[in-house]
């Protein structure tokens, strides 16, 4: 397939899936369900929405500050303002092109803090590894609260574990073969890839060189604690979900985390995933989807606003660069 066509498809398909899911959610609902969902959204208590937004912004600031701990071992001391705006630009980019935010974030901090892109991007990969570990930890805690319900949901949404393990094994073997080829090759293109990979590896290794490990761990748990709190406080915007305990909230958090990676910023998929999980806890579909739209809509809106302002103010605040 033509590389340009493939690139366009990677951009359009996730967005098309998100639009389809929105259409499907609306068309599959009865008029009464659509009216209920709309009423729940319109009657949402703005105080809880703003509190959730505040928690979200603080989590972004905490992520930007934690990033400084990863960059410090590489010999770079970055401004918190530049780090924060780079993070927000990354979130904004992910709404348009999935996974592009990490690249743009690395490129932004590289431009305004004179950090080699491959090293900056390596630290972002380190962050993603930490995020995966934290998500697995949250899933583990959730299983303690709602093991049967969550497992039944995941079994419906993911492939057979045997197929998944086989695919991972094949990828591992292919990766080992490619790394051996890369290490011995004299091909100019492969040499460039190898040099770039070495730079990435140096960035990833920065996590083992952190001097303030206690602070890094603290901010990591703070970030994820704030994420969960965002979910917890938003439940009070919908009467039917206000009485939910921490168990169902953790279950919706896990489902929402998976949904965010399926389409551009979780568009369409996020409310459906939230509603599907809450059905297991006897929360009617309109209330569940309304909760998903309130949380997704408010957080997405603030990411767009702050991300756009970051694009505007970054060059202004860094005129000397």
């Amino acid at each position: 397939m033509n590389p340009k066509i493939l690139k366009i498809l990677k951009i359009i398909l996730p967005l098309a899936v998100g639009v389809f899911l929105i259409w499907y959610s609306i068309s599959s609902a009865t008029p009464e369900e659509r009216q209920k969902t709309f009423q729940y959204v319109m009657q949402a208590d703005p105080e809880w929405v703003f509190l959730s937004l505040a928690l979200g912004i603080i989590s972004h600031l905490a992520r930007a500050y934690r990033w400084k701990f990863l960059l410090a071992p590489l010999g770079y001391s970055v401004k918190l303002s530049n780090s924060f705006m780079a993070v927000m630009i990354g979130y904004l980019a992910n709404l348009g092109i999935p996974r592009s935010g990490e690249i743009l974030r690395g490129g932004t901090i590289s431009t305004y803090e004179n950090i080699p892109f491959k090293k900056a991007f390596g630290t972002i990969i380190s962050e993603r590894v930490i995020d995966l570990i934290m998500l697995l930890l949250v899933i583990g805690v959730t299983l303690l609260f709602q093991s049967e319900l969550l497992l039944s949901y995941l079994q419906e949404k993911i492939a057979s574990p045997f197929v998944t393990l086989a695919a991972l094994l094949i990828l591992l073997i292919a990766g080992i073969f490619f790394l051996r080829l890369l290490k011995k090759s004299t091909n100019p293109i492969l040499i460039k890839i190898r040099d770039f990979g070495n730079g990435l590896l140096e960035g990833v290794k920065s996590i083992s060189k952190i001097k303030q490990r206690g602070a890094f761990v603290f901010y990591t748990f703070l970030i994820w604690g704030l994420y969960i709190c965002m979910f917890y406080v938003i439940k009070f915007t919908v009467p039917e979900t206000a009485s939910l305990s921490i168990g169902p909230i953790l279950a919706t958090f896990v489902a929402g985390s998976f949904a965010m990676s399926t389409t551009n910023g979780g568009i369409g998929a996020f409310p459906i995933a939230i509603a599907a999980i809450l059905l297991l806890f006897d929360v009617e579909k309109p209330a569940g989807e309304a909760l998903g739209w309130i949380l997704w809509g408010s957080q997405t809106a603030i990411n767009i606003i702050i991300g756009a302002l970051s694009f505007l103010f970054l060059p202004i605040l860094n005129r000397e660069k």
Side-chain angles (χ1 to χ4, degrees):
M1 183 179 288
N2 189 305
K4 289 185 178 179
I5 296 177
L6 185 62
K7 189 175 182 179
I8 292 173
L9 287 176
K10 287 181 178 179
I11 297 172
I12 294 178
L13 281 180
L15 183 60
V17 171
V19 173
F20 168 77
L21 290 174
I22 294 175
W23 171 84
Y24 174 78
S25 175
I26 294 174
S27 63
S28 63
T30 65
E32 292 78 13
E33 287 177 334
R34 288 195 291 267
Q35 184 179 7
K36 276 188 176 182
T37 301
F38 181 75
Q39 287 178 346
Y40 283 134
V41 172
M42 296 304 296
Q43 295 173 3
D45 189 337
E47 292 184 2
W48 292 111
V49 175
F50 287 131
L51 178 57
S52 179
L53 287 175
L55 293 170
I57 293 172
I58 295 171
S59 74
H60 302 329
L61 278 167
R63 180 175 291 276
Y65 192 77
R66 189 189 64 172
W67 194 13
K68 291 164 61 72
F69 295 134
L70 289 171
L71 292 168
L74 302 178
Y76 303 102
S77 177
V78 303
K79 294 180 180 178
L80 178 59
S81 58
N82 286 344
S83 177
F84 175 70
M85 287 187 283
V87 167
M88 298 310 301
I89 286 173
Y91 287 143
L92 177 62
N94 279 335
L95 294 173
I97 306 175
R99 299 298 111 199
S100 66
E102 286 75 7
I103 297 174
L104 188 56
R105 175 182 163 188
T108 300
I109 205 70
S110 174
T111 299
Y112 291 103
E113 292 288 352
N114 298 317
I115 303 172
F117 172 78
K118 55 189 178 183
K119 293 185 179 181
F121 191 62
T123 61
I124 296 173
I125 293 177
S126 294
E127 278 198 358
R128 289 295 167 259
V129 172
I130 295 298
D131 287 339
L132 177 60
I133 293 172
M134 291 302 299
L135 178 57
L136 292 174
L137 179 61
V138 173
I139 291 174
V141 173
T142 305
L143 288 174
L144 295 176
F145 284 93
Q146 306 292 340
S147 57
E148 293 183 4
L149 288 174
L150 186 61
L151 282 174
S152 64
Y153 175 81
L154 292 178
Q155 285 173 357
E156 293 177 2
K157 300 299 180 182
I158 65 176
S160 166
F162 297 105
V163 175
T164 304
L165 287 174
L168 290 174
L169 183 61
I170 293 172
L171 288 173
L172 179 62
I173 295 173
I176 293 173
F177 176 79
F178 179 72
L179 288 174
R180 287 185 176 179
L181 176 65
L182 196 64
K183 187 175 181 180
K184 298 178 181 179
S185 177
T186 56
N187 183 286
I189 296 177
L190 292 180
I191 290 175
K192 288 183 178 180
I193 295 175
R194 184 171 64 209
D195 291 340
F196 182 76
N198 288 333
L200 287 179
L201 186 61
E202 185 177 350
V204 172
K205 286 181 178 179
S206 65
I207 197 168
S208 64
K209 301 177 182 177
I210 296 174
K211 295 180 180 179
Q212 297 174 294
R213 293 184 181 180
F216 182 85
V217 171
F218 169 78
Y219 277 98
T220 297
F221 277 91
L222 175 63
I223 292 167
W224 282 79
L226 288 167
Y227 287 166
I228 294 172
C229 287
M230 284 161 45
F231 271 74
Y232 191 83
V233 300
I234 209 73
K235 74 172 188 174
F236 296 110
T237 60
V238 178
E240 278 71 10
T241 62
S243 61
L244 290 174
S245 63
I246 188 64
I249 295 300
L250 287 175
T252 59
F253 177 84
V254 172
S257 298
F258 283 114
M260 289 297 290
S261 61
T262 57
T263 60
N264 302 47
I267 182 172
F270 188 87
I272 292 176
I274 298 301
I277 278 292
L278 290 180
L279 278 174
L280 301 175
F281 299 98
D282 300 322
V283 176
E284 61 177 2
K285 181 182 175 183
E289 288 197 352
L291 185 72
W293 279 116
I294 293 168
L295 180 56
W296 182 87
S298 58
Q299 293 297 331
T300 299
I302 204 68
N303 286 346
I304 291 173
I305 294 171
I306 299 180
L309 289 174
S310 297
F311 263 118
L312 175 65
F313 283 104
L314 256 174
I316 295 175
L317 297 176
N318 293 274
R319 289 194 187 95
E320 71 281 3
K321 296 182 181 180

